Amino acid sequence: MIEMIDVSKTYSNGVNALNDIDILIEKGEFVYVVGPSGAGKSTFIKMIYREEKPSQGSIIINGADLTTLKEKHVPYLRRKIGVVFQDFKLLPKLSVFENVAFALEVIEEQRDVLRKRVMEVLDIVKLKNKARFLPDELSGGEQQRVSIARAIVNNPRVVIADEPTGNLDPDTSWEIMDILEDINRRGTTVLMATHNREIVNTIKKRVIAIESGRIVRDEMRGDYGYER
Amino acid sequence: MKGRTLVRHGKEGMKNLGRNGWMSFASISAVTIMLMVVGVFLILILNMNHFMSTVEEDVEVRVYVDLTASEEEQKELEEGLNQIDHVESITYLGKDEGLDELIESLGEEDRAAFESLRDENPLNDAFILQADEPQLTEEVASQADKLPHIDRVDYGEQVVEQLFNVTNVLRTIGIVLVLGLMFTAMFLISNTIKLTIVARQKEIQIMKLVGATNGFIRWPFFLEGLLLGVLGAIVPVAAVMAGYHYLYDNFAERLRLNFAELLPVYPLTLQVTLVLLGIGALVGVWGSLTSVRKFLKV
Ligand SMILES: Nc1ncnc2c1ncn2[C@@H]1O[C@H](COP(=O)(O)OP(=O)(O)O)[C@@H](O)[C@H]1O
Ligand SMILES: [Mg+2]
């Protein structure tokens, strides 16, 4: 599903963000990526949806080798990967419905399929009754649920989330986790970078710990493992 | 691409135009000014070319026979002229007819003075040659000049060359002006579109994240540029149409009396319209594509 072989990443300014990463994530897994700030978690995630290219090694997603993937095929890779961010990345002038529909519009989905599918995912994130609201009229947790809805609306095989609860209060964070677990139960692989010790220690999943660009620990049902 | 998608891109493009109202206005104005100049120069140059080709058709070579040549020598000369390549016709113009022609072309006052020359006609007998193609006139003239018993050879050299020079100068001024204005317009258009792109950077980033192709993202900007260019062509097209109509209606007759002929309103104005729309569209699209390219590398 997601495989990295000897991957290293050095940014053009010389920062060595990741070193010798070897990892295999199977279909249907739920994986936390933990580590202190600046460890390389975001870099790790960006390489999966090809926002960054590795300087060395190869990355294989759904059987396609990203290092040899042609630029014009990148959009089709991204349609199979849903991405969720700490800052939601919603368009402020579009309603909840339109923000989610946006992901289907740009891949030219048929109108009636689009409408049906958007309402389906709004149901999954429990926002069906707020479809006409603007992002400003929603709480932070609700906004993050919209962005999750957008990430899953075209049925991706993987959802990757970079600190999805980073801007949210604890109660809201649990709501988001409920939804991510629900998505994972439906068969989607979920990969989530996080700082949230409580979540990692409570909802036990596979934990990959990164420190200074190296994987220092990879445990099934692991702990957060750092003292604060 | 689906029709619905094209409509969506069109709407986006229009929205962008409105969003950067002033910059759009500046870009459209720049295109308008540029196309005005293009239009005026096109009309001038096309008419000059037309005028030149009509003048060239009338160009003839006059071979003046040496005053001392005997009748035999004159016959010999005529035979020589007959052998020159590319001569379509040879007409003999005796010195008496030559004087008639001259007197006829003069004003009333001078006529009397020249009438008195009838007895001692100072003119030469002449042969008038017409080349089968106007461009070969010079060649025919120089061939004729090599023959014996000739006083001199004249042809409309000066007229044609002067016309040619004027047209060349016009063309050069036109091209320099138009190129300068074209780059100004392109620069403004690409900056207008850059504003749009910056305003929509977040949107573009999200589009790329959810898997939009570069082509899909480019379309609205492409249409915005096209629209800026084509909107800029409207005023120049109208001005050229109306202006040339007016010019033609009021001056064509008067110019015809001076042996100059204006090109008819149709198809000239239609051709110029197409050229103006084409250049407008080209500049618009070019401007937009140069600014979009950099932003798509995400
Ligand atoms: N675009 C970039 N250009 C240069 N250096 C970067 C870039 N992004 C991240 N870095 C550097 O790479 C290292 C890892 O960053 P990041 O992957 O964002 O870590 P994390 O998400 O774990 O906080 C940091 O030292 C950071 O400064
Ligand atoms: Mg990060």
Side-chain angles (χ1 to χ4, degrees), chain B residues 160-187:
Chain B
V160 174
E161 257 167 33
Q162 270 171 15
L163 272 176
F164 196 70
N165 285 342
V166 171
T167 313
N168 259 352
V169 168
L170 262 180
R171 203 174 283 156
T172 313
I173 295 177
I175 287 174
V176 168
L177 247 152
V178 166
L179 278 184
L181 289 168
M182 216 158 127
F183 278 105
T184 312
M186 255 184 54
F187 178 76

Side-chain angles (χ1 to χ4, degrees), chain A residues 16-18 34-43 209-214 226:
Chain A
N16 193 220
L18 288 176
V34 302
S37 173
K41 304 182 296 296
S42 295
T43 305
I210 301 182
E211 271 176 49
S212 314
R214 289 179 192 278
Y226 297 96

Side-chain angles (χ1 to χ4, degrees), chain B residues 278-291:
Chain B
I279 295 180
L282 200 80
V283 166
V285 168
W286 189 5
S288 87
L289 291 187
T290 52
S291 58

Side-chain angles (χ1 to χ4, degrees), chain A residues 161-173:
Chain A
D162 196 353
E163 312 213 21
T165 61
N167 281 355
L168 304 177
D169 57 55
D171 286 350
T172 323
S173 299

Side-chain angles (χ1 to χ4, degrees), chain A:
Chain A
M1 173 100 253
I2 299 175
E3 190 176 7
M4 294 199 185
I5 304 164
D6 281 337
V7 169
S8 297
K9 172 72 185 178
T10 306
Y11 282 106
S12 54
N13 63 356
V15 174
N16 193 220
L18 288 176
N19 279 305
D20 302 325
I21 303 290
D22 275 291
I23 206 90
L24 178 65
I25 296 169
E26 300 286 359
K27 183 170 163 30
E29 278 195 85
F30 193 121
V31 182
Y32 294 117
V33 180
V34 302
S37 173
K41 304 182 296 296
S42 295
T43 305
F44 180 82
I45 279 185
K46 283 177 183 167
M47 287 196 305
I48 295 173
Y49 63 91
R50 186 59 145 65
E51 183 167 338
E52 295 293 346
K53 288 189 220 173
S55 327
Q56 239 177 56
S58 52
I59 302 179
I60 295 158
I61 312 276
N62 298 328
D65 188 345
L66 296 201
T67 42
T68 56
L69 189 72
K70 289 210 181 87
E71 213 52 55
K72 65 174 181 200
H73 291 135
V74 171
Y76 304 95
L77 166 82
R78 291 187 180 160
R79 291 174 194 187
K80 299 200 177 93
I81 301 172
V83 191
V84 176
F85 296 93
Q86 184 171 357
D87 60 355
F88 323 136
K89 294 203 195 297
L90 299 178
L91 294 168
K93 286 185 188 146
L94 300 187
S95 69
V96 166
F97 182 95
E98 289 165 335
N99 262 290
V100 178
F102 192 72
L104 292 181
E105 254 167 33
V106 304
I107 62 174
E108 301 185 57
E109 184 56 88
Q110 283 178 348
R111 201 76 208 165
D112 47 341
V113 177
L114 176 145
R115 200 178 303 273
K116 187 162 157 283
R117 181 63 191 150
V118 173
M119 288 321 281
E120 259 171 43
V121 293
L122 284 182
D123 193 27
I124 294 176
V125 300
K126 304 184 181 67
L127 279 175
K128 223 174 164 178
N129 56 343
K130 296 199 170 169
R132 290 177 183 284
F133 283 46
L134 290 176
D136 278 352
E137 301 164 340
L138 303 177
S139 71
E142 287 170 331
Q143 290 186 39
Q144 189 58 300
R145 272 143 63 191
V146 177
S147 99
I148 292 174
R150 185 183 60 203
I152 61 174
V153 73
N154 53 12
N155 276 315
R157 296 186 210 170
V158 191
V159 167
I160 52 186
D162 196 353
E163 312 213 21
T165 61
N167 281 355
L168 304 177
D169 57 55
D171 286 350
T172 323
S173 299
W174 292 113
E175 276 174 30
I176 296 300
M177 289 313 296
D178 279 348
I179 288 168
L180 288 177
E181 276 199 278
D182 183 28
I183 290 167
N184 179 239
R185 267 194 299 274
R186 291 164 193 259
T188 309
T189 311
V190 175
L191 181 68
M192 162 177 168
T194 184
H195 260 124
N196 194 318
R197 157 194 302 272
E198 221 186 316
I199 287 177
V200 175
N201 288 343
T202 308
I203 305 174
K204 294 274 187 174
K205 303 285 183 192
R206 178 176 174 188
V207 175
I208 296 173
I210 301 182
E211 271 176 49
S212 314
R214 289 179 192 278
I215 294 181
V216 293
R217 189 156 56 90
D218 182 356
E219 294 171 345
M220 292 317 221
R221 301 187 60 76
D223 292 323
Y224 189 82
Y226 297 96
E227 296 306 321
R228 255 199 268 210

Side-chain angles (χ1 to χ4, degrees), chain B residues 123-136:
Chain B
L123 299 180
N124 308 59
D125 292 324
F127 290 99
I128 300 174
L129 312 185
Q130 191 103 41
D132 54 12
E133 281 179 59
Q135 298 95 302
L136 296 174

Side-chain angles (χ1 to χ4, degrees), chain B residues 222-286:
Chain B
F222 173 85
L223 292 180
E224 183 184 354
L226 190 71
L227 224 58
L228 286 173
V230 171
L231 286 178
I234 289 177
V235 172
V237 163
V240 161
M241 285 233 183
Y244 195 67
H245 235 293
Y246 177 83
L247 198 77
Y248 193 85
D249 287 349
N250 289 281
F251 296 99
E253 283 305 317
R254 226 173 296 170
L255 282 171
R256 217 187 317 270
L257 293 180
N258 293 309
F259 307 103
E261 196 184 30
L262 283 179
L263 283 165
V265 176
Y266 296 103
L268 177 71
T269 50
L270 277 184
Q271 290 162 340
V272 173
T273 296
L274 286 182
V275 171
L276 294 187
L277 280 174
I279 295 180
L282 200 80
V283 166
V285 168
W286 189 5

